[in-house]
Amino acid sequence: MEVPAGLSAGKESSALPAAAALPNESQPTPATPVQITVLKAQDLKTIKSDVSVTLVRAEYNGAILGDSSKTDVLPDGTANYNFMTSFECSPDGPNPLDDIAQKPVLLTVIEVLQRQQRQKEKTVPLGQAVVDLLPLLQGQCSFKVSAPLYAVPTSPLESLHPEAKGGLEVTVCTKVPLLSAAQLSNGNLLSVTLEAAYSVPEAFAATGPLQNYMACLQVPAAGEKEFPLLFKNGILKLAGEKEPLPRPKKWPLANIMAPGALSIPNSFIVGGPYEDEDGELNKREDREFRIQAESTKRIVWDMERRCYLDPAAVVILQKRIAECRYWPVEVCRMPVAPSSKGKTSKADKGDEDKQIFFHGVAYVNMVPLLCPGVKQIRGAFRVFTYQDSEVFKKTKCQHSVFRDLRTQLNLTKEGSWTPGISTPLSRAVPSKTQKEDKEKITKDKDSNRRMSNAPKIQLSDATVEAENVTYLSLDGQQYVEAGTFLVMEIKLDKALVPKRLREELTRRVKQMIPPRPPLPPRTAGAKKAVEDYHNHVTSIAVAILSEYHELFGKRLPDQGAIDHQTLEEQKRQLNFELNSSGKYFAFKEQLKYAVVKIVREKYLKTTAFETQEQFQAFLSELYVYLVDQMHIALNQLLSEEAASPAPLSQTTEEQLWLFAREAEVNKDYKLASLYHQQRVAQDQRNIQYWLDYGAFCLLLEETTKAQECFRQALSLEPHHIQSLLLCGIVAVMLQHYEEAEIFFEDACCLEPSSIVAWTLSGLFYELQNNNIQAEMAFREAKKLLQAQLAKERSIPEAAEGEEGKKHISAGCVRSSSPGPEECLPDRVPDGSADKLPEVVEPALLCVAPEEEATAPEAALKAPSPVSGLSQPPCTIFMKAVEFLMKVNAVQFVHRALAHELLSLQGGPSCAYYLALAQTYLLKEDLSKCEECLCEAIRIDYMNPNVWAQKGHLCYLKRDFGKARECYEQTISFVEDAADMHFVYLRLGSIYLEEKEYGRAKQTYLLACKNSASCLTWLGVGIACYRLEEMVEAENALSEANALSNTNAEVWGYLALICLQGGRQLEAEQCYKYTIKLGLRNDALLREIRAAQQRLGFGNPAL
């Protein structure tokens, strides 16, 4: 049997960059033997009925590992080989991990023919099977497979069915895992499947000289190298039936004699709806074009290439995707000349001048791979003319990948077995004469299509001189005219950005509603008011009778009746005693409250009368009613015991703080002020309460009141650094610069290790044109920051991975503030008109006059090469911004951002754009805010805070569809945003608006988990009510009412629940408070009244 030759191990190793090698070159990893054991073959007689003696040959990576001994085939078609062989795998050796990923073991069953007299023994290949070694890169040390055995055709004209007719039992094992625990957990496997190119140019014809249709893309690897994935030998198919689905993916192999063995086991192209694809041409209007193109002329590869990515390569892959969202996939056509024996060396020399034609490029958007949980993208991508300048503009790739691969594009060079780079063995090296004839034929054909003058890309060394030249190939333009598109799939074994599992979310939701003792009922309807009046009348009557007994003693029934004159005298004395002792007034006051309840509950009178006549008529009616009810009460023999009073609810400080922030977000500043005042009233000696109240006053531009709050806090603790800094900031706003200087200097003196204190002092001195002290303060702050970062780097790697990474990616501007619009006043504080520049553009606050004019444009247009996966270290100015944003000190934020812009070497960071977006949002400049957030997303696509802020922006613009997408993206990240409470609140409200009540319920429950409030439980209650889960709805609304009993909407939904449950008394009570608190939801009010009309109760006026 003729064995195909392959590239030497050394050549292939040098051609492929060490994408899978760990960056530890000082200590090379020892080679690990991979042992292959072929146990037996089955059903051999289904391939050939008279087969008697066979052997099996193992090949890997172009090298023959060995042959088994000759084995007789049993009558049932079984041959027991028990053949064992092995090869070594080493990151630095001939078989690196990348080869394990993409190259299978090739097993060939060879029939040994009976030797006749004086003739050599003949062998004929009977069947071939492949064994995928991918499980070794998935943590397994051994596995056993039953590899399908495919028949080898006896002649080129023979057509075989692709189904396997036999099988080989094979075991693969290694003594130690090929991947360490770190490699297994942090590494990844990338596979790219190129399915086909559709709607190809008309110039592609099946007749004429042989053509090789190729495509290639580069995968970023560790270091500066790129790992090329080359797809060759595309098959040109004419118009006809569509490609079947599902169909198997193929190995990028060239030395397989059995066509069926090219199929990768258990790997199929399954297709799917066009609308679900990630690329282009996935809209409804493209459907007809796609269907038509799939049944016309096309180039089919159906080939999968794999690449192992070590942890370093994974990080670089993420960085490259964040930097360049589009990756180029180049396509071309290259002529293949027929073989010529005996002139290989000349062909090798002539191949250096090979040309490629129809050079095109498709741009694949890789950004979806940075979404949480996304492991693959598949779709159609249009092919455009390859033009260096355009490719560089979109992908930052400076030259064509085919130029780098010119030595590997020698299509007929011997020893080119490398999978994905080699060609079938039947294609040999062309002679010089044949090559010239081929070029002549090609040139004539191209001239007939008016393409003879089209420039071609030379693959010789002369291309070095033309690397910077823009190539615009006219034949490549035909891709655009024909509407050519590639269909391909890029898949990862693990998502680059992990996503929280559904099971975890479900488990957390179940733990959200904590058990709490039920509150006693506090109902008060019209009936209850009358009962209370009866009880008060009875109680007063008993008290008066006791007074009578004390004055005159108890009279027994057998003593007879008292005469009228004595009775009148006793009545006069009793009245005198009650008036003189004050008991009469006490009884009257006690009864007054019951009468007021009857007026409110029974007659629904809560406002003043318009005329005196109406007032008198009402008094007459009320008097008659009260006297009648008094007689009823006096005639009662038993009275019910009054219900015990409900315990007073004690709202905690954290809850009041949360309620205040919610009110600020909803721009209900009156309610927010009330909550802040309640916090201060609970503990007037708590410094933080005063500081929070002062920050709220800054939000409302009440600078004087803010100053009073900060000074009150400072009076409680004169050495409190935060109070000193805030007093200094307010003093600057009020133009009290001497006081401000004292505050800042005192802060730096008391806390010399405070980075924020030194930075704010520097900003203040710069405002005073005291550049010397400003420079000193900034230098001191930078020194402290460097010391802090050095200390953090000294922490053990495990702790740094958990805490340091979180600090770097989120520490700069991820404040505890709930969102950008929680501090949205109608206008920003004007501050000092003389000393402070305008705050329209923060970059205008820079020191250098030459930079003032260009800084604003640079803030929005300067590209940043830094991706979100490797955030720059936090600067002193971003630390100051974090502090200032929490206290709504907008003017100082602008100054700090201006310095941040000038201090960055590689362009603005994500933290900068995020803070700048918040300042624009304060001024309600939504367009510039959106620009900043887009830049922030480009730099750090996986930053949940950026997505949360963009969701808030879309919510304020009332673009609820985009807001929903942003919020859903935010909650899909493993790391929570700083303002998740308001993300859940607003996402839940969007779900309610879109009538997705199940999702709304789950979202509100997530909000209740960590920060329950009246609004969160109200959302749960509304969702449950709409889902007709009345018990859960009432429980949730009761929780909401316990947290805040002044929310009219809570009372409204409680009224609906009581109406649905037939509870008349409670329905009336809830409706009363709904009206009293001024429900603004007209739709809910109409729904309540419609239910009252339908059920006939719930409204005392009915």
Side-chain angles (χ1 to χ4, degrees):
M1 172 184 175
E2 183 181 357
V3 180
L7 287 174
S8 64
K11 287 184 179 180
E12 184 171 355
S13 178
S14 62
L16 298 178
L22 290 174
N24 185 8
E25 299 178 359
S26 60
Q27 296 179 355
T29 305
T32 302
V34 178
Q35 181 176 304
I36 312 295
T37 304
V38 182
L39 300 177
K40 63 180 179 179
Q42 294 178 336
D43 300 327
L44 291 180
K45 291 188 179 293
T46 59
I47 301 177
K48 187 177 180 181
S49 58
D50 58 347
V51 61
S52 59
V53 180
T54 60
L55 61 86
V56 63
R57 174 171 296 170
E59 302 176 46
Y60 184 73
N61 202 4
I64 298 178
L65 302 181
D67 295 349
S68 70
S69 59
K70 301 175 186 178
T71 304
D72 293 333
V73 180
L74 301 178
D76 60 353
T78 302
N80 297 312
Y81 298 113
N82 293 321
F83 168 61
M84 183 182 301
T85 186
S86 65
F87 66 90
E88 291 187 345
C89 171
S90 173
D92 305 318
N95 299 311
L97 296 178
D98 189 71
D99 286 346
I100 300 295
Q102 65 178 342
K103 298 179 182 179
V105 174
L106 178 61
L107 302 174
T108 305
V109 176
I110 301 173
E111 181 184 9
V112 181
L113 301 178
Q114 294 181 359
R115 183 172 55 183
Q116 300 179 0
Q117 290 182 343
R118 298 180 181 180
Q119 290 184 355
K120 294 183 178 180
E121 190 176 61
K122 293 184 178 180
T123 59
V124 177
L126 185 66
Q128 283 187 318
V130 292
V131 177
D132 192 355
L133 301 180
L134 191 63
L136 296 179
L137 298 181
Q138 296 174 337
Q140 298 186 33
C141 290
S142 63
F143 62 92
K144 181 178 181 180
V145 295
S146 179
L149 185 65
Y150 298 90
V152 175
T154 57
S155 67
L157 300 178
E158 181 182 0
S159 60
L160 296 175
H161 295 287
E163 292 82 7
K165 293 186 176 180
L168 291 177
E169 288 190 9
V170 184
T171 61
V172 180
C173 64
T174 60
K175 293 182 178 180
V176 295
L178 295 184
L179 298 180
S180 64
Q183 287 178 307
L184 189 62
S185 60
N186 300 325
N188 214 327
L189 286 169
L190 172 68
S191 63
V192 179
T193 302
L194 181 60
E195 299 179 16
Y198 296 100
S199 188
V200 297
E202 290 295 330
F204 289 5
T207 59
L210 292 175
Q211 302 288 341
N212 192 306
Y213 299 95
M214 297 179 291
C216 187
L217 75 157
Q218 294 191 105
V219 177
E224 298 297 329
K225 298 181 180 180
E226 300 283 343
F227 182 74
L229 296 179
L230 182 62
F231 299 85
K232 299 177 63 175
N233 305 324
I235 301 174
L236 178 64
K237 293 187 177 182
L238 302 179
E241 296 183 359
K242 296 173 58 176
E243 297 298 317
L245 289 175
R247 60 183 186 273
K249 298 179 182 179
K250 297 179 181 178
W251 292 105
L253 303 180
N255 63 332
I256 291 184
M257 296 176 290
L262 279 172
S263 300
I264 302 177
N266 302 320
S267 185
F268 298 93
I269 298 172
V270 296
Y274 302 135
E275 294 79 7
D276 296 341
E277 294 179 351
D278 301 293
E280 308 164 50
L281 300 172
N282 54 4
K283 299 181 176 57
R284 182 174 298 179
E285 55 267 24
D286 302 320
R287 180 178 180 83
E288 183 177 352
F289 170 69
R290 292 281 300 271
I291 294 176
Q292 182 180 0
E294 290 176 358
S295 58
T296 56
K297 188 188 302 183
R298 59 199 180 273
I299 301 172
V300 179
W301 284 275
D302 289 345
M303 189 179 299
E304 180 183 75
R305 291 295 305 270
R306 300 170 181 168
C307 175
Y308 170 73
L309 302 176
D310 69 355
V314 171
V315 174
I316 294 178
L317 176 67
Q318 292 175 310
K319 179 180 178 181
R320 295 288 180 85
I321 295 176
E323 290 177 348
C324 304
R325 58 189 301 126
Y326 293 104
W327 281 14
V329 179
E330 299 182 37
V331 294
C332 72
R333 187 181 79 172
M334 180 178 289
V336 178
S339 63
S340 176
K341 297 182 179 179
K343 296 184 179 181
T344 303
S345 60
K346 294 182 180 180
D348 293 344
K349 181 178 180 181
D351 282 339
E352 295 297 327
D353 295 326
K354 275 195 176 294
Q355 298 174 343
I356 63 174
F357 300 85
F358 293 92
H359 193 192
V361 60
Y363 300 102
V364 180
N365 187 2
M366 302 285 286
V367 171
L369 291 179
L370 295 183
C371 298
V374 176
K375 295 190 292 186
Q376 70 175 16
I377 55 175
R378 180 187 179 275
F381 304 93
R382 294 183 184 273
V383 179
F384 300 91
T385 304
Y386 186 91
Q387 189 175 1
D388 284 346
S389 59
E390 189 68 20
V391 173
F392 178 75
K393 180 180 178 181
K394 287 190 175 182
T395 67
K396 303 298 185 295
C397 294
Q398 298 181 351
H399 52 78
S400 170
V401 64
F402 286 124
R403 300 177 194 173
D404 298 334
L405 296 177
R406 60 181 181 270
T407 58
Q408 299 182 23
L409 293 178
N410 188 357
L411 302 181
T412 56
K413 187 174 180 180
E414 285 191 16
S416 57
W417 178 83
T418 305
I421 297 178
S422 62
T423 56
L425 295 174
S426 61
R427 301 176 183 175
V429 181
S431 65
K432 182 177 181 181
T433 303
Q434 291 171 328
K435 181 178 179 66
E436 291 175 352
D437 294 341
K438 172 68 178 65
E439 291 177 351
K440 182 177 179 181
I441 294 173
T442 305
K443 183 175 181 180
D444 292 341
K445 282 184 171 292
D446 291 342
S447 64
N448 293 335
R449 301 183 182 93
R450 293 176 292 180
M451 296 183 296
S452 60
N453 295 326
K456 311 300 184 296
I457 295 181
Q458 298 290 332
L459 297 179
S460 64
D461 293 337
T463 57
V464 177
E465 301 176 357
E467 284 183 352
N468 298 324
V469 178
T470 299
Y471 291 95
L472 177 59
S473 180
L474 296 181
D475 52 6
Q477 182 65 22
Q478 295 191 34
Y479 288 125
V480 180
E481 297 172 356
T484 305
F485 62 93
L486 296 177
V487 177
M488 60 186 305
E489 177 191 65
I490 300 176
K491 185 178 181 180
L492 292 164
D493 187 57
K494 294 178 290 187
L496 294 177
V497 183
K499 185 178 181 180
R500 282 183 287 205
L501 300 177
R502 183 184 298 272
E503 293 76 10
E504 179 186 357
L505 294 175
T506 303
R507 177 180 56 81
R508 293 176 62 181
V509 168
K510 291 180 179 179
Q511 300 173 355
M512 284 183 180
I513 303 181
R516 58 182 300 167
L519 295 175
R522 292 182 285 180
T523 58
K527 182 179 179 181
K528 183 67 166 52
V530 175
E531 292 177 354
D532 290 344
Y533 176 73
H534 289 174
N535 293 335
H536 281 89
V537 169
T538 303
S539 176
I540 294 173
V542 172
I544 294 175
L545 183 60
S546 298
E547 291 293 330
Y548 177 84
H549 290 162
E550 290 182 3
L551 290 176
F552 308 109
K554 292 185 178 182
R555 188 174 181 86
L556 299 177
D558 57 355
Q559 294 180 353
I562 303 176
D563 59 88
H564 179 70
Q565 184 177 358
T566 305
L567 189 60
E568 287 295 329
E569 180 62 23
Q570 291 179 351
K571 179 180 179 181
R572 185 186 63 80
Q573 293 182 15
L574 178 62
N575 287 336
F576 175 79
E577 182 64 26
L578 293 176
N579 281 290
S580 60
S581 63
K583 294 180 179 179
Y584 177 81
F585 179 78
F587 293 152
K588 184 179 68 173
E589 289 297 318
Q590 182 180 355
L591 194 59
K592 182 196 299 184
Y593 178 72
V595 174
V596 170
K597 288 181 63 177
I598 288 180
V599 173
R600 291 179 177 177
E601 302 293 341
K602 180 65 179 177
Y603 292 95
L604 298 180
K605 297 295 183 181
T606 57
T607 58
F609 292 91
E610 297 180 357
T611 63
Q612 187 68 21
E613 289 77 10
Q614 292 180 352
F615 180 58
Q616 292 298 330
F618 175 72
L619 287 180
S620 300
E621 180 183 358
L622 178 63
Y623 178 78
V624 172
Y625 179 79
L626 292 177
V627 171
D628 291 341
Q629 294 299 322
M630 181 187 67
H631 289 300
I632 295 174
L634 293 176
N635 291 329
Q636 287 180 346
L637 299 177
L638 299 175
S639 62
E640 296 179 355
E641 183 179 356
S644 59
L648 297 177
S649 62
Q650 294 292 333
T651 308
T652 64
E653 177 272 330
E654 292 81 4
Q655 289 175 329
L656 288 175
W657 168 245
L658 178 62
F659 300 164
R661 304 299 287 183
E662 287 180 336
E664 291 175 18
V665 170
N666 296 327
K667 297 186 179 181
D668 190 350
Y669 298 126
K670 183 178 180 180
L671 181 60
S673 179
L674 176 62
Y675 284 128
H676 279 294
Q677 292 171 6
Q678 288 183 10
R679 292 182 77 213
V680 172
Q682 283 187 1
D683 186 2
Q684 296 187 6
R685 299 194 60 81
N686 190 300
I687 297 177
Q688 191 60 44
Y689 296 175
W690 287 106
L691 296 183
D692 292 337
Y693 191 20
F696 171 72
C697 294
L698 284 182
L699 177 64
L700 300 184
E701 304 177 20
E702 298 177 355
T703 311
T704 304
K705 185 180 290 187
Q707 184 185 42
E708 295 176 0
C709 295
F710 296 148
R711 292 198 173 190
Q712 178 65 27
L714 191 59
S715 66
L716 296 173
E717 176 53 59
H719 295 166
H720 193 254
I721 304 301
Q722 189 176 0
S723 301
L724 284 168
L725 295 176
L726 291 175
C727 285
I729 291 173
V730 173
V732 172
M733 293 180 178
L734 296 175
Q735 304 182 31
H736 300 164
Y737 298 113
E738 293 182 1
E739 295 181 1
E741 184 175 3
I742 295 174
F743 287 132
F744 288 126
E745 185 175 354
D746 193 16
C748 294
C749 180
L750 291 173
E751 190 65 45
S753 61
S754 173
I755 299 175
V756 174
W758 285 109
T759 306
L760 294 182
S761 297
L763 295 175
F764 167 74
Y765 287 127
E766 181 186 76
L767 176 64
Q768 296 296 302
N769 294 324
N770 190 343
N771 295 329
I772 296 178
Q773 285 192 298
E775 183 180 354
M776 182 274 297
F778 291 148
R779 184 170 59 248
E780 186 67 25
K782 292 178 181 178
K783 185 190 304 182
L784 292 171
L785 178 62
Q786 291 176 357
Q788 178 180 326
L789 294 177
K791 182 178 180 180
E792 291 177 357
R793 285 193 292 266
S794 65
I795 300 176
E797 185 176 357
E800 182 180 354
E802 298 177 0
E803 301 176 5
K805 181 179 178 182
K806 188 178 297 183
H807 165 73
I808 291 176
S809 61
C812 292
V813 295
R814 298 184 187 182
S815 64
S816 59
S817 56
E821 62 284 346
E822 79 280 19
C823 42
L824 262 176
D826 296 334
R827 53 190 173 88
V828 296
D830 50 6
S832 170
D834 299 329
K835 297 293 184 179
L836 283 177
E838 290 184 358
V839 295
V840 176
E841 294 287 351
L844 292 177
L845 303 179
C846 305
V847 180
E850 296 81 7
E851 295 166 339
E852 291 182 0
T854 59
E857 296 296 329
L860 294 178
K861 296 182 180 179
S864 173
V866 182
S867 73
L869 301 173
S870 57
Q871 292 282 350
C874 187
T875 64
I876 61 173
F877 302 108
M878 292 312 300
K879 282 187 171 293
V881 167
E882 178 185 4
F883 170 77
L884 294 169
M885 289 300 297
K886 291 180 180 180
V887 297
N888 304 317
V890 179
Q891 291 172 323
F892 271 81
V893 170
H894 293 155
R895 291 190 170 277
L897 288 178
H899 276 279
E900 173 72 8
L901 179 61
L902 295 179
S903 66
L904 295 173
Q905 299 297 327
S909 64
C910 176
Y912 170 85
Y913 282 116
L914 187 58
L916 184 60
Q918 291 179 350
T919 60
Y920 282 133
L921 204 56
L922 290 173
K923 296 178 292 184
E924 298 185 358
D925 192 345
L926 303 185
S927 60
K928 289 188 177 181
C929 176
E930 185 173 8
E931 292 179 17
C932 294
L933 290 176
C934 289
E935 288 295 321
I937 290 177
R938 180 185 65 84
I939 296 173
D940 191 353
Y941 194 87
M942 297 171 290
N943 191 325
N945 281 333
V946 180
W947 285 102
Q949 301 298 334
K950 189 172 182 181
H952 296 326
L953 173 66
C954 296
Y955 191 90
L956 292 179
K957 293 169 64 177
R958 304 193 66 80
D959 189 351
F960 298 123
K962 289 185 178 179
R964 170 178 173 171
E965 294 177 1
C966 295
Y967 289 144
E968 289 176 343
Q969 179 85 339
T970 303
I971 64 177
S972 67
F973 288 105
V974 174
E975 180 184 359
D976 286 339
D979 57 346
M980 288 302 295
H981 180 79
F982 295 92
V983 170
Y984 289 137
L985 277 181
R986 289 182 164 172
L987 180 59
S989 67
I990 293 174
Y991 285 148
L992 287 179
E993 187 70 21
E994 296 177 354
K995 298 183 179 180
E996 296 188 24
Y997 302 121
R999 288 189 173 185
K1001 175 183 175 182
Q1002 299 301 324
T1003 303
Y1004 278 117
L1005 284 174
L1006 287 173
C1008 294
K1009 170 63 178 178
N1010 296 323
S1011 52
S1013 67
C1014 175
L1015 297 183
T1016 59
W1017 285 116
L1018 172 61
V1020 176
I1022 295 174
C1024 292
Y1025 176 78
R1026 299 304 178 190
L1027 292 171
E1028 298 183 359
E1029 299 173 356
M1030 295 303 173
V1031 176
E1032 295 185 16
E1034 184 173 1
N1035 291 336
L1037 291 172
S1038 299
E1039 292 282 344
N1041 188 262
L1043 292 173
S1044 175
N1045 59 1
T1046 60
N1047 190 302
E1049 198 165 352
V1050 174
W1051 286 108
Y1053 278 99
L1054 283 172
L1056 282 176
I1057 292 176
C1058 294
L1059 287 170
Q1060 298 290 343
R1063 293 142 61 182
Q1064 178 177 354
L1065 181 64
E1066 293 165 292
E1068 290 180 2
Q1069 174 71 5
C1070 295
Y1071 176 70
K1072 179 199 71 171
Y1073 281 110
T1074 302
I1075 300 301
K1076 182 178 180 180
L1077 294 172
L1079 179 64
R1080 299 177 183 178
N1081 190 337
D1082 295 334
L1084 177 59
L1085 187 59
R1086 289 193 299 269
E1087 184 179 0
I1088 294 174
R1089 288 175 175 171
Q1092 291 172 342
Q1093 292 286 346
R1094 185 176 67 255
L1095 298 175
F1097 66 89
N1099 189 345
L1102 294 177

